[in-house]
Amino acid sequence: MTISGVTTPRRLLLVNGPNLNLLGTREPEIYGTATLQDVERITTDAALARGFEVRAVQSNHEGVLIDAIHAAREDCAGIVINPGGLTHTSVVLRDALAGVALPVAEVHISDVRTREQFRHFSYVADVAIVHVVGEGVAGYARSVDLLVDALTGHAEG
Ligand code: CA2
């Protein structure tokens, strides 16, 4: 794919932050019953349908996520990220996303806008061009679609 004369890879990085490895094991009333493996498959299927591969990383360690984001500069066209609780705490994660200057989609399974006050603020929000919240794990597929739309200059309507 060529954007502004530059050839970019047809690959997305999927980042899931701390505790998302527990999906499907607890709190189904908030996060549903799908597992992290399901999330990675849903995201990969949505991306493949648009001609993109996915490299998936989940970690409970901020530095591992930051290294994966930095590495994405080399071979990814964009990033889909659910930062988990780091959404509300991490300047470091935000700086990493801003630093690589790739298009970012921020996704949350639950509707953080209607939960506790501390979940209303996101350090990532203004470095992301796509925001999907409260659509369950299907939100990952929608994030991919909106991000690929942005990458390929697809206009809505
Ligand atoms: O709704 C989301 O996707 C969140 O990013 C999930 C985070 C939470 O801190 C954010 O405010 C919103 C929590 C991820 C932990 O996920 C679990 C899933 C099942 C059981 C326990 C934790």
Side-chain angles (χ1 to χ4, degrees):
M1 183 175 60
T2 302
I3 299 173
S4 309
V6 177
T7 301
T8 57
R10 296 187 73 85
R11 185 179 300 108
L12 304 176
L13 177 68
L14 169 64
V15 179
N16 279 294
N19 299 311
L20 285 158
N21 56 311
L22 298 177
L23 277 177
T25 67
R26 285 181 41 224
E27 304 191 70
E29 66 288 357
I30 300 175
Y31 299 114
T33 55
T35 64
L36 177 64
Q37 197 183 356
D38 295 330
V39 163
E40 292 182 350
R41 183 184 42 75
I42 287 164
T43 309
T44 299
D45 287 351
L48 287 175
R50 300 292 302 270
F52 282 76
E53 296 173 9
V54 167
R55 180 163 69 238
V57 59
Q58 186 280 327
S59 180
N60 298 322
H61 305 278
E62 205 169 23
V64 172
L65 301 176
I66 288 157
D67 287 345
I69 290 165
H70 288 179
R73 261 185 316 188
E74 306 302 322
D75 62 357
C76 292
I79 300 174
V80 175
I81 184 166
N82 181 345
L86 293 175
T87 306
H88 320 296
T89 64
S90 184
V91 173
V92 178
L93 186 68
R94 174 216 168 81
D95 286 347
L97 292 167
V100 297
L102 290 170
V104 173
E106 177 184 5
V107 56
H108 296 285
I109 296 166
S110 64
D111 190 345
V112 285
R113 298 164 303 189
T114 57
R115 296 183 64 192
E116 304 95 321
Q117 186 71 36
F118 67 82
R119 296 186 202 276
H120 295 187
F121 177 76
S122 165
Y123 278 100
V124 172
D126 68 356
V127 295
I129 60 167
V130 168
H131 307 89
V132 176
V133 302
E135 298 188 12
V137 296
Y140 285 83
R142 214 161 84 77
S143 298
V144 166
D145 271 332
L146 293 170
L147 187 61
V148 173
D149 284 351
L151 283 168
T152 58
H154 174 96
E156 253 182 62

